[in-house]
Amino acid sequence: MDGTLDHVMIRVEDLEESLDWYQTHLNYEEKGRWEADTFTNVFLGPEDVHEDGALLELTYNHDGRTYEIGDAWGHIAVRVPEDALQDSYDQLMAEGVEDYRDPESCGNRYAFVKDPDGHEIEIVKRDHGAKWSIDHTMIRVEDADEALGYWTRKFEYTEVPGRWEADSFSNYFVAPEDAPEEAMKIELTYNYDGREYTMGDAWGHVAVRVDDLDDAWDDLMTREAPDYRDPESCDHNYAFTKDQDGHEVELVTRD
């Protein structure tokens, strides 16, 4: 399978408010939209996003439901130039974005803001990729060995530079072996205190791009991935499995 991370999906309670937020503050543009009877999906990204760069999918359900963030999903991280962290954060503050964790409180290595629904967005310094493009998606895992094994065996991912082992937690980054640096990565965060996590429903899934949906699904079943929503149940447009902690992983094809 190709294995490139295609997009990350989050659920929003007010589509127009969310679209305005991402288009105004991160300069995203609409890349695609799917209007159904009960929901709307909108795909966003920078104008000059890399061909293997990930998009952000906003899902809006028409029934007015509300969502719980939970803590099993952590954040998405977006890129700014190496010398532009403070200026980029100051720009967001001047535009009225919520002041969550400023660069100084993060050792001037990164910063955090939140979108209108409370999804955390990390701002990271990178010398590659379009400004505000998605660098990684962080998820929390209860067993680091199982999580690394899942992505290695099921999706043929490898650990890439960025590992950070602290006194109370570790961060591991995984991606396809040959993925360009502009592609999105998965950050696995493992806390040493044995805590458990609540999935919530404000976060949806990460999507992995595959060359052939049925072949990729057969490979996952051979590798004992959870059979959550097979291609047939999704009209052969996509499929879903889950990782060892229950984070949903979508399989998609893209021309």
Side-chain angles (χ1 to χ4, degrees):
M1 66 181 70
D2 176 348
T4 300
L5 287 156
D6 186 79
H7 64 267
V8 55
M9 186 274 267
I10 60 176
R11 297 185 178 94
V12 301
E13 296 181 7
D14 185 322
L15 181 59
E16 294 309 314
E17 181 182 19
S18 293
L19 285 173
D20 179 69
W21 194 92
Y22 282 99
Q23 291 171 335
T24 298
H25 303 305
L26 302 191
N27 201 29
Y28 280 10
E29 65 178 25
E30 189 169 322
K31 302 292 188 180
R33 179 181 289 241
W34 182 14
E35 296 277 5
D37 291 338
T38 59
F39 65 88
T40 301
N41 294 337
V42 182
F43 294 85
L44 301 171
E47 178 183 3
D48 53 348
V49 65
H50 188 272
E51 63 179 357
D52 284 328
L55 299 180
L56 177 67
E57 177 186 1
L58 304 181
T59 290
Y60 170 66
N61 288 292
H62 301 169
D63 56 8
R65 72 184 72 176
T66 59
Y67 302 103
E68 295 294 332
I69 290 289
D71 57 3
W73 293 85
H75 58 256
I76 59 171
V78 296
R79 305 178 179 110
V80 299
E82 290 279 353
D83 60 353
L85 176 61
Q86 188 65 55
D87 287 347
S88 299
Y89 193 84
D90 290 344
Q91 172 191 334
L92 295 177
M93 295 302 99
E95 294 170 352
V97 172
E98 179 182 349
D99 184 3
Y100 181 41
R101 295 178 62 189
D102 64 16
E104 184 177 1
S105 71
C106 300
N108 291 307
R109 294 173 296 180
Y110 47 86
F112 281 87
V113 296
K114 289 185 178 182
D115 77 359
D117 291 278
H119 300 97
E120 293 185 15
I121 300 172
E122 183 182 15
I123 307 167
V124 296
K125 298 187 287 186
R126 295 289 185 265
D127 58 4
H128 57 265
K131 185 175 182 179
W132 304 123
S133 60
I134 299 177
D135 184 76
H136 64 267
T137 294
M138 187 273 268
I139 59 177
R140 297 185 178 92
V141 301
E142 296 182 6
D143 187 310
D145 293 323
E146 285 189 13
L148 288 166
Y150 174 89
W151 287 100
T152 299
R153 181 170 182 234
K154 296 339 186 242
F155 288 96
E156 304 170 29
Y157 279 21
T158 61
E159 188 178 346
V160 296
R163 176 188 289 219
W164 183 11
E165 295 186 335
D167 292 338
S168 59
F169 69 91
S170 292
N171 295 335
Y172 307 93
F173 292 83
V174 294
E177 183 175 8
D178 297 324
E181 59 185 2
E182 294 89 352
M184 186 174 80
K185 305 169 185 64
I186 296 291
E187 178 185 3
L188 308 172
T189 291
Y190 172 62
N191 289 291
Y192 300 159
D193 56 8
R195 72 183 72 175
E196 298 178 349
Y197 301 103
T198 301
M199 192 61 61
D201 57 2
W203 292 85
H205 59 259
V206 292
V208 174
R209 194 184 312 162
V210 298
D211 300 312
D212 184 285
L213 183 61
D214 291 318
D215 286 349
W217 186 257
D218 289 343
D219 286 342
L220 288 177
M221 295 302 98
T222 298
R223 298 166 187 171
E224 303 174 296
D227 181 354
Y228 180 41
R229 296 175 61 190
D230 65 16
E232 184 176 2
S233 71
C234 302
D235 296 324
H236 294 279
N237 293 318
Y238 45 84
F240 281 87
T241 185
K242 291 184 178 183
D243 74 1
Q244 71 293 327
D245 290 291
H247 302 95
E248 294 185 17
V249 183
E250 182 183 21
L251 275 65
V252 297
T253 57
R254 191 166 91 178
D255 295 334

